[in-house]
Every structure is written in structure tokens, then in C-alpha cells.
Amino acid sequence: MERRYPRMRFQKKLDELKEEVDKMGQATLKAYREAFSTFIDYDAELVNSVMETNRKVHDMGYQIEHDAMSIIAAEQPVAGDLRFIETSIKVSSHLKRIAGLASNIADIARHIKDEEIPEKPMFDLQRMADIVDGMVSKGLAAFLAKNMNVARELHRDDDKVDDLFDHALKDITKSMFQDKESISYLIYLLFLARFLERIADRAENIGDRTIFMITCEKQQFTVDKKPEEPE
């Protein structure tokens, strides 16, 4: 029985780390949903909430990194346990970026709160936002449950977002040509589409990291191949 105690303590630390990532993920989802909500229907208090949640998510990410490194130093884990700890750090990093992008979306809402957005690009952006919401949820769920099938669904979802991104760019550009005076605020829609596409990439990357954690199969990490989005 005595030999089991160290393993039980170690497993408890892993479970606590997993719970930390879960809490961080839920906070990130909250920030994202509030950000797009305030883009649709501007709410200054909600914008402030997104900014505050973004700061909390970043603090949670640093805590996860600290706790993960402490586990590695104290327990010297190997194989699957080490991959789980490493993936926890990677996932927390992607969640931090998603929360940061959510704050960017909330900031966009400030600039266009009094403008009337053309129907077609708005439709494309809402569809993108819905799929992206599902992708972030799936990525987090796949990691927490070590579900490879859900993780692999993210590639198909990302393709849908990329297609909608292309449609949105065409529709927004068309609106700019039709109404030159609208360019000053429609440019923010281009940023929004880009931020949504980058969040989708981050969610897909969480799925790829999850697959690697389970199988040791290296994936083509989408975000690693693209330049970083602005803070």
C-alpha cells in the first residue's frame, strides 16, 4: 500500500492541473462569447468584463505554467504523463491567445457601435462566430477527455471557417466599393474576420496537440506556420 501513495499524490497533482486548464478554458469561452455578443449589441460593461476576463485568463495561464514545471521538477514524469503536462502548458498558451483575441473583438465593438453593418457580411461573420464557438468548446473538451475523434473534427470545422473567411472578405470589399464612406468602419470588419479565423486556428491547434498527447503523432500545427496576430 505504501508504494501506491506517491502515485496517488502524483495523480492528484495531475488532476488539479487538468482542473486548472478546464477553469481557464471556461473563462476563455466566457470572454469570447461576451466579446462577440457586445459586437452584435454593444454593451460597455460587457466590454469591460471581457478585458478583465482576459487579464484573469493570462494570470491563470502563468499559474498553470508554474504548476506544471513544479510537477516536472518534483516528480520527473515520463511518457504519457509528461506529454499531458507539456500539452497542458501548450493548451494554456493557446487559451491565452484566444482570450487576447476576444479582447480585440470587444475593442472593435467600441469603434463600430453606432454603425449599421451590411446584412451579407454580418451574416458571414455570425456563421463564422458560431462555428468558432463550437471549435473552442470542442478543443477544450477533446483535451480534457483525451478524445481523439473530437480533436480530429476540428480540421473540418477549420475548413468551414476558412471558406467563410474568404466569403466575408469578398462581401466586405464589395460593400466598401459600393459605399466609399463606409470604408472607415468596414475595415474593422476585416479585422474581426481575421480574429475569428485566428481563434479557429488556435482551437484546431489545441486539437492537434491533443492528438500528439495521445498518439505521439506529430501534426501540422496551423498556428506555428502563420505570423502572430497583434495583441
Side-chain angles (χ1 to χ4, degrees):
M1 179 65 73
E2 291 181 0
R3 291 182 179 179
R4 296 182 183 180
Y5 289 155
R7 178 63 197 181
M8 290 172 65
R9 288 195 299 268
F10 177 44
Q11 186 59 51
K12 185 174 183 293
K13 290 180 181 179
L14 294 181
D15 291 342
E16 289 172 348
L17 183 63
K18 180 178 178 180
E19 185 177 346
E20 286 183 74
V21 176
D22 186 14
K23 288 180 179 178
M24 185 179 180
Q26 296 306 321
T28 301
L29 271 169
K30 175 178 178 289
Y32 169 74
R33 289 167 177 168
E34 287 184 346
F36 197 79
S37 175
T38 201
F39 167 74
I40 298 297
D41 185 12
Y42 185 75
D43 184 330
E45 290 186 5
L46 212 54
V47 169
N48 291 334
S49 175
V50 173
M51 302 303 178
E52 178 60 27
T53 301
N54 178 39
R55 287 189 286 271
K56 290 180 180 178
V57 166
H58 275 65
D59 289 342
M60 294 167 82
Y62 291 128
Q63 186 62 49
I64 286 172
E65 291 177 26
H66 175 272
D67 293 345
M69 296 307 296
S70 295
I71 294 173
I72 292 173
E75 306 293 344
Q76 298 182 342
V78 296
D81 290 333
L82 181 59
R83 290 199 303 275
F84 167 75
I85 295 169
E86 178 191 21
T87 303
S88 295
I89 297 173
K90 295 292 187 181
V91 170
S92 71
S93 176
H94 290 307
L95 291 173
K96 280 195 295 184
R97 295 303 301 143
I98 292 172
L101 288 162
S103 70
N104 290 342
I105 292 172
D107 189 55
I108 284 175
R110 289 172 170 166
H111 293 282
I112 62 172
K113 61 180 185 295
D114 298 321
E115 306 293 348
E116 184 175 348
I117 307 302
E119 182 177 351
K120 187 61 175 71
M122 177 61 84
F123 178 74
D124 292 334
L125 292 169
Q126 285 183 309
R127 288 183 64 196
M128 281 183 73
D130 289 341
I131 296 173
V132 169
D133 186 302
M135 288 183 69
V136 177
S137 297
K138 280 184 182 180
L140 183 61
F143 167 71
L144 294 172
K146 297 183 180 180
N147 190 320
M148 197 158 55
N149 292 330
V150 173
R152 283 180 170 152
E153 288 178 14
L154 291 164
H155 290 286
R156 293 191 295 272
D157 293 338
D158 188 63
D159 288 340
K160 294 176 184 177
V161 172
D162 287 343
D163 288 342
L164 286 168
F165 177 69
D166 291 337
H167 284 302
L169 292 186
K170 291 178 183 177
D171 291 334
I172 295 168
T173 302
K174 182 178 179 181
S175 296
M176 287 178 171
F177 277 112
Q178 291 175 341
D179 182 7
K180 294 295 195 327
E181 294 182 358
S182 68
I183 293 176
S184 60
Y185 72 85
L186 287 179
I187 192 71
Y188 287 108
L189 298 190
L190 295 177
F191 285 124
L192 174 60
R194 177 60 172 164
F195 294 151
L196 290 172
E197 191 248 356
R198 295 300 285 142
I199 293 174
D201 286 344
R202 291 282 169 177
E204 182 185 25
N205 213 262
I206 289 173
D208 289 341
R209 292 289 179 181
T210 298
I211 293 171
F212 177 77
M213 176 181 69
I214 298 169
T215 67
C216 276
E217 295 176 7
K218 186 176 181 180
Q219 307 297 303
Q220 293 297 319
F221 299 121
T222 306
V223 173
D224 292 345
K225 298 185 293 181
K226 296 182 179 179
E228 281 297 312
E229 63 276 354
E231 292 286 355

